[in-house]
Structures are given as structure tokens and as C-alpha cells.
Amino acid sequence: MHVGSIQVRLLGILAIGMICSLIACSGGGAGSASAAVPASSGAVIVGVAVTPNSTVITTGDSIPLTATVSGTSNTAVTWSVDGIVNGDATVGTISGTGGVVTYTAPGSAGSHVLTVTSLADSQKHATSTIVVQPPSEVVNVTLSPGTVTLATGASQSFIVTVSNSANTDVTWTIDGSAAGNAIVGTLAGSGLGITYTAPPAAGDHLLVATSSADPTKSASSAITVVVLNSVTSVAVTPSTLNLSTSGTNQFSATVAGTGSYTSAVTWSVQKGTITSTGLYTAPSSSGSDVVTAT
């Protein structure tokens, strides 16, 4: 019995040795294992971005959000709010599908994180922080006047009011320019009041005042610049004349002005007669007469 036990042990050892030998032969060693892995996988890195990446809105308000997926032809995404797919009434809701959706804030104030995740690579995502405030706490910007029509070269003062913020500073732009220029008009002054001077050409321009406390809040004024039809003077030639009774004379009128206007006039006379072209005929009796070009 004791000898049989030794034989069994020897067989076991041999069996183990044979298995190890088979593994060594078939595995090919460390060199073969390394060769089985491609030298370069060529994998494309997926990127995800969301716009805006942060904003402040009022309870119950809605804003659009846009997701951009790069590095893959599969641009499908999923949206969640505070970890809840498409959100809910407590954290706000996501409506729509795909890369452009709408977030509607809940009825109570708070801060929420919107996450957009790539379906091509669930490890890739982007976030947007939404701060929800009651209407009384949201910065409000108003600009007066809201619309105005100005003649070329004319000036207009504008006043801005910022509420619900201790910081009432604003930045001013006209068609995106901080100081303006000869094409869009110029801005003078600072603070809550500025003066706009219209350019020499007609056109439409947009004046914007943006809150420094919350750059997402601004107010604008639409400015229309026009060239006025302005006649400054009318002169008659000759200005004085001695003429015999029933005599005739051709008068002419010179019209001066600014901008766009017509040089046409209407002729009138007190005693004699005059044609629409300014040909005057004196009356048959002597005296004085007045010829007028209007």
C-alpha cells in the first residue's frame, strides 16, 4: 500500500510535467504573446462639447443647448440632468433629441449639471452648469430709448438701467464695436449713459448694453440712420428788376441744402403772370410786383 502511494505520486508529477511542457510548446513564450497584439490599434479619440457650458436662467424659463461630437461618424448622444436621463420636474427637463435640445428650468431655484454623453464612446461626455434663479434675483437690463431714427451726423443719448444686482456696470457696443467707428457711428461717455453719433451714411445699427455682473443679460436699441431732405435756401435771379408794363423776363431759382433734395420750385406772382418755368409777364399798369420761388 505504501509503494502504490509512491507510484501515484510519481504519476501525478509526470502528468503535471507533461502539462507544463505542452503549455510551453503551444504558448510560444513571451515573444509569441507580444506578437499577437497589433503594434498600433489606430483608434480614433471621440470628443464631446456642449454650448453653452454655463448660464443663468429664471425658474420656468427654457434655453437651447447644442452638443458637438467629433472623431466619429456616430454623433448620437444622450442627455441627463443631475444624473437623471432627460431630467424631471425637480431638476428641470430636457426636450428634443439629438444634438440640439431644450432645457426647461424647474419651478425652484438651484444649480444643476446637464451632461451630454456620446453613444459611440460612453466614457466621453461634456457638462453645462445651469443656475436657476427666481425672477426677483435675475439681473435685468433695460435701455432707453429702445428704438430711434437719427439724421446722418446727429447725436442721441442713451440711458441703461440694471436691476437685481449691486454691480450696475455695463459694457457698450455698437454693431459689436466697443467705441464704434466712422461706418457704424461712434460712442462717447461711459457708465450708465452714453452718447451715440450717427455716421455720414444711412443704415441700420444695433446698440447693446451688457451687464458686467451677468454677461448673459443685455439690452439693445435699434438705430436707423437716414439722410434727411433738407433745403437750406432758395435764391431768385435776378433779385431786382426794372421792366416796362407788359414786358417779360425769365427768372431762375437756385436751391441749396443738405442730403437728398429736389431743386424744383413753384413760381408765384402778386400782380403779373408767371409760367411754371419762371417766365414772367408784367402787368399792364405801372407799379411794383413780387415774384416768389417756393
Side-chain angles (χ1 to χ4, degrees), residues 26-37:
S26 61
S32 297
S34 176
V37 178

Side-chain angles (χ1 to χ4, degrees), residues 183-240:
I183 297 176
V184 302
T186 57
L187 300 178
S190 59
L192 301 180
I194 57 97
T195 298
Y196 169 77
T197 300
D204 294 321
H205 306 285
L206 188 66
L207 177 68
V208 178
T210 303
S211 168
S212 297
D214 183 355
T216 66
K217 299 300 184 293
S218 63
S220 62
S221 178
I223 301 173
T224 300
V225 178
V226 297
V227 178
L228 295 182
N229 300 331
S230 178
V231 175
T232 57
S233 65
V234 179
V236 175
T237 304
S239 58
T240 60

Side-chain angles (χ1 to χ4, degrees), residues 92-161:
T93 57
I94 295 288
S95 59
T97 59
V100 180
V101 298
T102 299
Y103 170 74
T104 300
S108 58
S111 180
H112 305 284
V113 177
L114 280 67
T115 302
V116 56
T117 303
S118 168
L119 285 182
D121 184 348
S122 60
Q123 300 300 312
K124 301 300 169 37
H125 63 271
T127 60
S128 176
T129 301
I130 309 295
V131 177
V132 180
Q133 296 181 340
S136 61
E137 296 180 9
V138 175
V139 175
N140 186 51
V141 183
T142 57
L143 183 59
S144 180
T147 60
V148 66
T149 299
L150 297 176
T152 53
S155 297
Q156 173 71 46
S157 295
F158 291 87
I159 300 296
V160 67
T161 302

Side-chain angles (χ1 to χ4, degrees), residues 4-289:
S5 174
I6 293 174
Q7 289 176 343
V8 171
R9 289 173 183 170
L10 288 174
L11 289 174
I13 294 170
L14 288 173
I16 294 172
M18 290 175 66
I19 293 171
C20 292
S21 177
L22 288 172
I23 293 174
C25 292
S26 61
S32 297
S34 176
V37 178
S40 175
S41 64
V44 177
I45 298 177
V46 176
V48 182
V50 61
T51 304
N53 56 21
S54 65
T55 191
V56 179
I57 63 174
T58 305
T59 53
D61 279 356
S62 299
I63 60 165
L65 293 110
T66 302
T68 304
V69 180
S70 58
T72 176
S73 59
N74 182 4
T75 58
V77 295
T78 59
W79 294 86
S80 63
V81 185
D82 292 350
I84 303 172
V85 176
N86 292 328
D88 60 19
T90 303
V91 299
T93 57
I94 295 288
S95 59
T97 59
V100 180
V101 298
T102 299
Y103 170 74
T104 300
S108 58
S111 180
H112 305 284
V113 177
L114 280 67
T115 302
V116 56
T117 303
S118 168
L119 285 182
D121 184 348
S122 60
Q123 300 300 312
K124 301 300 169 37
H125 63 271
T127 60
S128 176
T129 301
I130 309 295
V131 177
V132 180
Q133 296 181 340
S136 61
E137 296 180 9
V138 175
V139 175
N140 186 51
V141 183
T142 57
L143 183 59
S144 180
T147 60
V148 66
T149 299
L150 297 176
T152 53
S155 297
Q156 173 71 46
S157 295
F158 291 87
I159 300 296
V160 67
T161 302
V162 179
S163 56
N164 299 330
S165 174
N167 181 2
T168 59
D169 292 342
V170 296
T171 57
W172 296 89
T173 59
I174 179 70
D175 289 355
S177 173
N181 52 52
I183 297 176
V184 302
T186 57
L187 300 178
S190 59
L192 301 180
I194 57 97
T195 298
Y196 169 77
T197 300
D204 294 321
H205 306 285
L206 188 66
L207 177 68
V208 178
T210 303
S211 168
S212 297
D214 183 355
T216 66
K217 299 300 184 293
S218 63
S220 62
S221 178
I223 301 173
T224 300
V225 178
V226 297
V227 178
L228 295 182
N229 300 331
S230 178
V231 175
T232 57
S233 65
V234 179
V236 175
T237 304
S239 58
T240 60
L241 175 67
N242 292 321
L243 192 66
S244 60
T245 56
S246 301
T248 61
N249 185 76
Q250 178 65 52
F251 286 90
S252 63
T254 302
V255 180
T258 60
S260 176
Y261 61 91
T262 175
S263 59
V265 297
T266 300
W267 293 97
S268 60
V269 65
Q270 288 184 343
K271 295 180 180 179
T273 60
I274 194 167
T275 66
S276 60
T277 60
L279 179 60
Y280 170 76
T281 300
S284 57
S285 58
S286 61
S288 62
D289 202 0

